[in-house]
Amino acid sequence: AAAAAAAAATAPPGTTIEAAAASADGLDATVMQLASSASPPRTGWRCAACTYENAASAARCSICDAQPEEDEWSLTGAAGKEQKRKLRAQAELARREQERRQREEEAKRKQQEKAAAKRQQKQLKKQQQQQQQQQQQQ
């Protein structure tokens, strides 16, 4: 009844309530049919070598004994979503670590350049002092 009322409210002008209700009932039946025909959610990983759907906890393929590589996993279901979330988190951590290292290397490079410039200034000052001493001795 609620579906019929909703269908009547959204039906095009000139549509009878009976026609709208029949349309809503047909839609409900289609949705129910699709829901019942949907395959149950899978959990685990698909072997890249033989395509067997393994349990999420399996470290090797139950059929061909292949060891999955993370980038070849075809993860499905809740376990797949969790594994993909973990992989994304690991990738993000690796990206951040790489950025941190790059910043540290850049800071170290700048510090070395600064130290080299100081040494060069010292050496230049020393040379100037030596030249002044030589000029005074002459």
Side-chain angles (χ1 to χ4, degrees):
T10 59
T15 305
T16 65
I17 293 175
E18 292 81 15
S23 175
D25 289 342
L27 181 61
D28 287 345
T30 302
V31 168
M32 292 302 287
Q33 181 182 9
L34 288 172
S36 66
S37 68
S39 58
R42 298 180 298 177
T43 57
W45 57 274
R46 182 171 293 126
C47 177
C50 71
T51 70
Y52 179 74
E53 189 75 22
N54 290 279
S57 60
R60 294 185 168 273
C61 178
S62 300
I63 300 298
C64 70
D65 202 39
Q67 188 172 10
E69 294 180 18
E70 286 180 349
D71 59 334
E72 292 181 355
W73 283 19
S74 176
L75 302 167
T76 57
K81 287 180 183 176
E82 178 63 16
Q83 183 66 23
K84 287 178 184 176
R85 185 194 65 76
K86 286 180 182 177
L87 290 173
R88 282 193 300 272
Q90 288 174 349
E92 177 65 15
L93 287 174
R95 183 188 65 78
R96 288 181 182 179
E97 178 65 18
Q98 182 179 13
E99 288 176 353
R100 184 189 64 77
R101 283 189 200 132
Q102 287 174 343
R103 285 191 304 270
E104 286 178 352
E105 288 173 7
E106 180 68 17
K108 186 177 180 181
R109 184 186 60 76
K110 285 182 179 181
Q111 191 177 26
Q112 288 172 344
E113 287 176 356
K114 192 175 179 180
K118 273 188 172 183
R119 282 191 305 270
Q120 193 175 24
Q121 283 179 344
K122 260 187 172 179
Q123 189 176 25
L124 183 61
K125 191 174 182 179
K126 188 177 180 180
Q127 287 175 352
Q128 288 173 347
Q129 287 174 348
Q130 287 175 351
Q131 286 175 352
Q132 286 175 355
Q133 286 176 356
Q134 286 177 356
Q135 286 176 354
Q136 287 174 356
Q137 289 176 351
Q138 292 175 353

